[in-house]
Amino acid sequence: MDLVPALREPLKKVLGPATAKVMAEHLGLHTVGDLLHHYPRRYEERGQLTHLADLPMDEHVTVVAQVADARLHTFASSKAPRGKGQRLEVTITDGSGRLQLVFFGHGVHKPHKELLPGTRAMFAGKVSVFNRRLQLAHPAYELLRGDAEGEETVESWAGALIPLYPATAKLESWKLAKAIQTVLPSAQEAVDPLPGSLREGRGLVSLPEALLKIHRPHTKADIEDARARLKWDEAFVLQIALARRRHAETQLPAVPRKPSPDGLLTAFDDRLPFTLTDGQQKVSREIFDDLATDHPMHRLLQGEVGSGKTLVALRAMLAVVDSGGQAVMLAPTEVLAQQHHRSVVEMMGELAEGGMLGGAEHATKVVLLTGSMGAAARRHALLDLATGEAGIVIGTHALIEDKVQFHDLGLVVVDEQHRFGVEQRDALRGKGKQPPHLLVMTATPIPRTVAMTVFGDLETSVLDQLPAGRSPIASHVVPAADKPHFLARAWERVREEVSNGHQAYVVCPRIGDEDDDPRKGAKQSKQPPEGDADKRPPLAVLDVAEGLAKGPLQGLKVEVLHGRMQPDDKDAVMRRFAAGETDVLVATTVIEVGVNVPNATAMVIMDADRFGVSQLHQLRGRVGRGSAPGLCLLVSEMPEASAARQRLNAVAGTRDGFELSRIDLEQRREGDVLGQAQSGARTSLRVLAVIEDEEIIAEARQEAAAVVAADPELTGLPGLRTALEALLDDEREQYLEKG
């Protein structure tokens, strides 16, 4: 059954082309249905409209009042030197106070004709002060005629609860309200997406009733009823979309991959100098159970920085190699791919020397493939992939190119999912004879509700235990502008760490070479400009390294690392640092993920306010990886009261990545997390709050799984199918597929 035509009706037919054009361009509203789902942002209560006596400064207000007098002045100005400038001053009153309205230039003609003494109207604008008097400059207004209809308009505005809509400068809230009044009768024809049993079981009102109550509530209880119902719609339809994706995955065939009893995995486990944590064992069991089934695994592995995700992923890869398949690990950068390759080869020892003299009995080949490899090495690597000689392949998105062929691809491990688009993931999965199993790893903790919403098509495993022997990290904010001596002390602390035989990182937001325009840098800084510190460009690696080597860290071996260096140079710098030959590494965020140097105990992050909360948490995870305690200093010139400093205090105050990800989510708009940009305002969540509505999301997920299991095509639920089509325009569907 198709969507009820009344709700599909284009707005230009109902409201006229001019209004419809503004709604489409500024609010993404195209049909009657879109407009009905444009919910009020908040509600004003009776009386709040009319009190001119206590108007707030600098806020947009709506008042109902009567014109007391109106005066037109002419004056000379640079634009009208012969005294032809015009200013209309209108005084309005509501019995509690008076307010001046001003109109200038060509804007005076219409109000001069309409705003005559005694006229009542609604006025909306921003309250400002001029000559110590409150005023509204060029307010929008709506006349209230003295007849019964006019009285009714005021009643509907100053009556029960007045809905205030997310509006734009081109379209005031009341114009939206009037447009919604026009289309509100169509709400009766809205087809309900929720199955009747679910709605009754949870005591939710019907969709037509919810739409009427959210736009024309008589009581606060009406608003609550409507919001409770509409939240369920959003959560449920989204979870249905994800449940259908999960269901579709289970219909795909895959080769079950079981490790052989005395094969490569057993040999590897016997080599390990430590026992796995309980968490690692539990997550490994979940992964091995998935790998043993005949449909593709689809799992998200979340783990705190340093919780041993790479080890868990490597064991899964070895299990697949054991069963005759190949496994590939995709890393977002070359530095990280090289790092992973090095650490995997180190962990496996002779088990990574397949086909070589001295290789162990069950050994396989571990091959690195990146874009910058020489032609001969690349040809060699490609041959190893195609023949199946290489059981484990580690690389960047160079692995996705057409030329790359696998003998039998069984498992794809994606490191740091937020750096890979859906097309890349699909291209790689398309290289298997049958769809390979997929394991997505992230060190950015994702609050449970976001995982259920954004990554709801993936089963989730969480590693929240740090391996034994990992040291605590102390974090402190260094207020460089208020207390310069704190910064001097920070460099002393770095020298102390080095004199104790350890090493340090210094992280800067920018590189500082000629390709790195400071103006661009400032624009790209992660956080919005706040205060004076933002007037200078962000600190740069090359400048800071030079300043430190000549100043507070003179005599220490200081090197730089950044993304625009040649891959061989980057690798050489990382090798020297890992070998302990370099004391201090001044770097950009290229060290953010995967760099593992247990001897590095201190990190100083310059202009820390330029980084996001999760990024700071990621960076901090690079120190304290050995047995000595770690130290992370967050340097900022932001004033104490600023939001940026509060963010830094939050990072310094907790090591719990999940807690920080909640803070991060509360500080950013949820739309960022749910891809508002990718999906257009029309399809984003409107009433569902990801952090607050955890319970609804969890319950909706369960209900959705049951509905899809019983009726994957939703043949018995036409209303739900329709709502799903409306939610999943193409862009949104791709967003859900990112992973």
Side-chain angles (χ1 to χ4, degrees), residues 239-568:
Q239 290 302 334
I240 285 282
L242 295 163
R244 289 187 71 194
R245 270 192 65 76
R246 289 197 302 274
H247 183 269
E249 294 288 346
T250 65
Q251 303 310 298
L252 291 172
V255 179
R257 307 284 180 174
K258 294 181 181 163
S260 47
D262 292 315
L264 181 57
L265 180 63
T266 310
F268 174 76
D269 284 348
D270 291 345
R271 274 183 56 88
L272 284 176
F274 51 82
T275 52
L276 299 178
T277 64
D278 294 347
Q280 286 172 325
Q281 287 176 347
K282 174 177 155 284
V283 169
S284 289
R285 274 196 301 278
E286 291 170 350
I287 292 171
F288 290 154
D289 288 350
D290 283 358
L291 289 174
T293 61
D294 53 10
H295 58 81
M297 166 170 81
H298 222 67
R299 193 167 277 282
L300 173 71
L301 172 56
Q302 284 183 250
E304 276 284 21
V305 177
S307 57
K309 288 184 304 299
T310 312
L311 177 62
V312 169
L314 177 56
R315 293 184 74 241
M317 292 164 86
L318 295 174
V320 169
V321 175
D322 248 355
S323 69
Q326 289 169 291
V328 56
M329 181 185 272
L330 262 179
T333 63
E334 290 211 356
V335 168
L336 197 48
Q338 289 162 345
Q339 181 88 28
H340 275 318
H341 181 254
R342 248 199 320 275
S343 61
V344 164
V345 168
E346 272 167 30
M347 280 196 268
M348 288 176 63
E350 72 235 21
L351 296 174
E353 295 169 0
M356 290 151 80
L357 213 58
E361 178 194 352
H362 300 291
T364 185
K365 226 178 195 180
V366 180
V367 168
L368 176 69
L369 186 64
T370 63
S372 63
M373 283 168 78
R378 189 178 173 74
R379 228 181 2 260
H380 207 92
L382 289 173
L383 190 65
D384 284 343
L385 265 62
T387 59
E389 185 86 11
I392 293 180
V393 187
I394 296 169
T396 55
H397 49 257
L399 282 168
I400 299 165
E401 291 170 17
D402 293 343
K403 286 195 220 72
V404 179
Q405 296 301 324
F406 291 88
H407 176 64
D408 178 15
L409 181 58
L411 170 67
V412 176
V413 178
V414 179
D415 189 17
E416 289 303 314
Q417 94 297 327
H418 55 279
R419 294 157 192 254
F420 280 95
V422 60
E423 302 84 5
Q424 293 171 310
R425 199 176 85 182
D426 284 350
L428 192 61
R429 288 175 60 192
K431 291 186 179 292
K433 294 188 179 71
Q434 283 192 328
H437 299 280
L438 175 74
L439 180 65
V440 172
M441 299 197 297
T442 175
T444 310
I446 303 163
R448 176 168 165 255
T449 41
V450 179
M452 283 191 291
T453 327
V454 182
F455 303 104
D457 59 329
L458 302 175
E459 299 300 327
T460 305
S461 295
V462 177
L463 272 177
D464 47 12
Q465 221 181 336
L466 287 186
R470 287 299 300 267
S471 305
I473 302 174
S475 305
H476 304 284
V477 178
V478 177
D482 318 345
K483 300 181 177 166
H485 59 287
F486 276 35
L487 184 58
R489 175 72 188 119
W491 302 126
E492 281 172 28
R493 283 291 289 113
V494 169
R495 293 193 82 97
E496 285 164 19
E497 290 298 311
V498 172
S499 65
N500 289 334
H502 298 302
Q503 293 159 279
Y505 298 100
V506 176
V507 181
C508 305
R510 198 163 61 87
I511 298 172
D513 56 13
E514 61 281 0
D515 296 341
D516 186 24
D517 181 342
R519 286 187 302 274
K520 241 173 20 194
K523 216 178 278 174
Q524 289 166 346
S525 89
K526 296 271 174 182
Q527 302 302 342
E530 287 179 81
D532 294 340
D534 214 84
K535 287 180 183 159
R536 62 161 174 75
L539 292 170
V541 166
L542 301 177
D543 306 338
V544 168
E546 190 182 352
L548 289 175
K550 290 180 178 166
L553 302 185
Q554 198 171 4
L556 301 186
K557 181 93 169 64
V558 178
E559 287 210 69
V560 300
L561 179 71
H562 59 75
R564 275 206 287 271
M565 290 165 63
Q566 289 301 314
D568 289 352

Side-chain angles (χ1 to χ4, degrees), residues 50-54 93-98:
T50 52
H51 282 213
L52 290 182
D54 31 77
T93 176
D94 66 349
S96 75
R98 293 164 83 82

Side-chain angles (χ1 to χ4, degrees), residues 628-639:
L631 172 70
C632 179
L633 302 174
L634 306 167
V635 179
S636 172
E637 294 184 4
M638 284 295 164

